[in-house]
Amino acid sequence: MKIAIGSDHGGFELKNEIKAHLEQKGFEVQDFGTHTPDSVDYPDIAEAVCRPVAKGEFEFGVLVCGTGIGISIAANKIEGIRAALCSDPYSAEKAKQHNNANIITLGGRVLGVDLAKTIVDSFVNASFEGGRHQARVDKIMKLK
Ligand code: RB5
């Protein structure tokens, strides 16, 4: 499974922790930056990760900024993306099962590392349930 990951400076440390965590679990992770703690603009990182995810080049993406909010707003502007800001494992599981989210966003200044890893694991281990949820996701994707 190929996973895309990226963060701004506010999510830099947590992004590196999550990348190492996923690699340790055997996933292939492509890091779209940022690669230093210097200030960058989160919409640029969101776009870099989301374009290839929307094309199906990755199973899903992980985006981290300070709160997870700005980068999720930016990600959800990109056609084909369903980004879910998750701060707990239950929401992460449902984001995949019900919303078929293809991006999970996290707050690097909000979450502890262990909680963030648990949240990402819940997302990774869940599967889209389809059925009635497919019809709802289809309606989301038709919204302009
Ligand atoms: C950067 O200071 C901060 O605004 C950003 O990481 C994020 O929290 C925005 O939503």
Side-chain angles (χ1 to χ4, degrees):
M1 190 189 284
K2 277 174 69 185
I3 299 170
I5 198 166
S7 76
D8 74 353
H9 52 292
F12 176 64
E13 286 179 18
L14 183 59
K15 183 259 291 175
N16 291 339
E17 295 277 358
I18 297 298
K19 178 184 174 188
H21 177 67
L22 290 168
E23 285 174 340
Q24 197 248 328
K25 285 179 166 285
F27 297 113
E28 187 184 332
V29 183
Q30 187 167 330
D31 187 346
F32 287 82
T34 186
H35 301 291
T36 76
D38 298 339
S39 181
V40 293
D41 295 333
Y42 57 81
D44 298 334
I45 304 295
E47 182 171 23
V49 167
C50 290
R51 295 280 182 216
V53 169
K55 282 191 212 154
E57 292 172 14
F58 295 90
E59 193 89 11
F60 68 90
V62 180
L63 286 171
V64 192
C65 69
T67 58
I69 296 172
I71 212 156
S72 71
I73 293 171
N76 278 311
K77 298 279 289 184
I78 294 176
E79 194 171 354
I81 292 300
R82 292 173 300 280
L85 169 57
C86 295
S87 299
D88 67 90
Y90 178 82
S91 298
E93 181 181 57
K94 296 300 163 193
K96 182 76 78 59
Q97 289 177 341
H98 290 190
N99 313 120
N100 200 16
N102 51 11
I103 295 281
I104 182 169
T105 81
L106 306 166
R109 295 173 180 157
V110 178
L111 301 170
V113 172
D114 284 351
L115 176 57
K117 288 179 185 172
T118 304
I119 290 168
V120 170
D121 287 347
S122 292
F123 188 78
V124 168
N125 293 331
S127 301
F128 181 50
E129 290 177 354
R132 69 188 191 281
H133 302 297
Q134 183 66 62
R136 293 163 184 165
V137 169
D138 289 345
K139 286 189 177 186
I140 292 174
M141 300 321 285
K142 280 190 194 144
L143 293 172
K144 296 275 180 207

